[in-house]
Amino acid sequence: MMRFSLQDAVYVAVGRIAQSELRKIASPVVVEDDNILLGPSNTDPKRHRALRTRYWGIEPAAELNAELARSDGKSICVALPPTVRGLLSFSKICASAAERGRQVFVMALASDVMSAMPQGPDPAEEVYVDVADALRRKPSVSRCSELEIVLAATLWKLWCRRTPVAISRFCASGGALHPRLASLGRYHAGYFPRQTAQGLLLSRFDELLLRQLSSDWIAPVKVFSNGMRAKSGLHAWLSHVGDFFVPKRLLDWSRHTHGRIIECREHPERSSELSRWSFRWREGGEKILDQLPSLQIAPPVTIGGAVAYDADRTWVCRFDVRGTPYVTRLASADGAVGSRRALVAR
């Protein structure tokens, strides 16, 4: 297997599996092991690290964050998989590189694998990349132009804004040409409650997740396996968020409503978060699938710099004439919509 030898460069692997494989052919290697598709992000590096540490309980990507904080001008070479997570991680790296004047190179993993263009409201299922096989194929390494770095850095800055409209528009405008941007736009919009002519509905992700519940107790591990197997749309979301987010989001729901909509039962003898809890609908709770009576009923969820289900900042998901989801303000949806008070019960 060939070894890469960009002079005075630091290599970045997206994910720990990629890290172990990349270290066989390049050095030094740092890892981006933080799925920044989940939880809060910030353009200020120190603030971002603090937010990520609070979200996960530990600081993920500590090596990478320390490397990005350096100002010695070393080049950065990213072993980039053709994934939405990889795209967002790359944008974060480019934002730091642009600020410090560092060159960025890309080692394209599985460049022959084309991401599927998403159809409908859901992102395309995440691409699986056999990193070891991709590296054995001697992936090409190319230097990013200043324009490419600036565009990627812009994506990161928009992702971190408290106002989610700009990132939604950015992904919509570029999504027709870039399938990963199209998937990122659908992923982002899918966390916000949907506005229809009849009123408010749950976010697309919450609807798909909560439809896995019934009057019988079910553990998150079963929710995850059922969702991946059913190919109902939830499988695409789970390929991006992984299994961790299933118990977290269901716990958010049960605790936020104190069991009035979703009931929770703990099994302390089980160590795994995927089996430690079980959930079911409280009688009548499933009505929330048909209409969201108030933003305050749903637990808020942070995505990038924005917060979905925020009663004070009423962002909603709507659909354009092509059926592409986008985020906008509730109050400015269109003239036919009634007042905010009519749609958001206080």
Side-chain angles (χ1 to χ4, degrees):
M1 181 179 288
M2 69 178 290
R3 290 193 65 84
F4 292 91
S5 57
L6 287 174
Q7 186 174 5
D8 204 25
V10 175
Y11 295 82
V12 178
V14 180
R16 291 201 171 275
I17 295 177
Q19 177 192 35
S20 62
E21 294 296 332
L22 186 58
R23 280 181 171 165
K24 297 176 182 178
I25 63 169
S27 179
V29 176
V30 295
V31 62
E32 166 65 295
D33 59 348
D34 184 3
N35 187 354
I36 48 180
L37 287 171
L38 296 171
S41 291
N42 196 279
T43 53
D44 179 79
K46 290 184 178 179
R47 178 62 176 159
H48 179 75
R49 295 176 75 167
L51 288 172
R52 304 308 292 173
T53 300
R54 188 181 310 154
Y55 184 77
W56 293 111
I58 59 172
E59 182 189 351
E63 286 183 347
L64 174 61
N65 291 333
E67 177 58 41
L68 294 180
R70 293 164 60 108
S71 56
D72 59 8
K74 279 190 174 183
S75 299
I76 302 172
C77 183
V78 184
L80 188 62
T83 63
V84 174
R85 175 187 170 185
L87 174 64
L88 196 57
S89 294
F90 178 69
S91 72
K92 168 192 164 186
I93 293 167
C94 284
S96 175
E99 183 177 331
R100 290 166 173 76
R102 302 173 72 170
Q103 294 182 359
V104 179
F105 292 81
V106 168
M107 181 190 300
L109 299 180
S111 58
D112 57 331
V113 176
M114 293 298 295
S115 300
M117 182 64 74
Q119 304 295 326
D122 303 316
E125 188 173 0
E126 192 69 289
V127 174
Y128 170 76
V129 177
D130 186 331
V131 178
D133 180 65
L135 291 174
R136 281 194 295 268
R137 295 186 183 188
K138 303 178 182 179
S140 61
V141 176
S142 59
R143 178 180 173 181
C144 296
S145 68
E146 290 187 12
L147 178 59
E148 289 172 323
I149 294 174
V150 168
L151 286 174
T154 299
L155 177 63
W156 176 247
K157 293 173 183 177
L158 296 179
W159 178 263
C160 295
R161 279 189 181 180
R162 293 182 67 186
T163 302
V165 173
I167 181 67
S168 190
R169 290 175 177 171
F170 186 88
C171 291
S173 62
L177 301 175
H178 199 307
R180 269 167 277 164
L181 267 182
S183 278
L184 181 61
R186 284 164 169 78
Y187 176 90
H188 175 262
Y191 281 97
F192 291 86
R194 292 165 293 171
Q195 183 182 9
T196 69
Q198 290 72 40
L200 290 177
L201 298 175
L202 292 171
S203 71
R204 174 64 173 171
F205 176 78
D206 277 342
E207 179 198 357
L208 291 172
L209 179 66
L210 298 186
R211 284 195 183 279
Q212 299 296 310
L213 302 182
S214 69
S215 58
D216 298 322
W217 293 106
I218 186 172
V221 63
K222 191 67 173 177
V223 172
F224 182 83
S225 62
N226 288 348
M228 292 298 292
R229 185 170 57 250
K231 302 291 183 180
S232 62
L234 181 59
H235 70 287
W237 290 88
L238 296 178
S239 71
H240 293 279
V241 303
D243 53 12
F244 159 82
F245 195 61
V246 173
K248 184 182 186 308
R249 189 59 184 158
L250 291 175
L251 281 170
D252 287 345
W253 268 100
S254 65
R255 290 167 177 170
H256 184 75
T257 61
H258 305 287
R260 295 193 306 272
I261 296 175
I262 294 173
E263 295 181 310
C264 172
R265 184 169 63 182
E266 185 177 6
H267 310 280
E269 72 280 3
R270 302 173 185 173
S271 59
S272 171
E273 291 294 304
L274 288 173
S275 56
R276 184 178 178 181
W277 315 91
S278 55
F279 302 88
R280 70 178 181 184
W281 288 113
R282 187 162 188 168
E283 185 176 357
E286 64 275 11
K287 293 179 181 178
I288 202 170
L289 293 171
D290 300 321
Q291 186 173 31
L292 180 64
S294 166
L295 290 178
Q296 294 168 316
I297 286 181
V301 57
T302 303
I303 177 167
V307 178
Y309 297 111
D310 186 340
D312 295 324
R313 297 178 180 86
T314 51
W315 309 112
V316 293
C317 173
R318 303 189 76 213
F319 296 85
D320 65 18
V321 294
R322 299 167 298 176
T324 302
Y326 66 96
V327 180
T328 186
R329 277 191 181 275
L330 175 63
S332 62
D334 59 44
V337 177
S339 68
R340 171 180 170 178
R341 183 175 297 179
L343 284 170
V344 184
R346 290 284 186 178

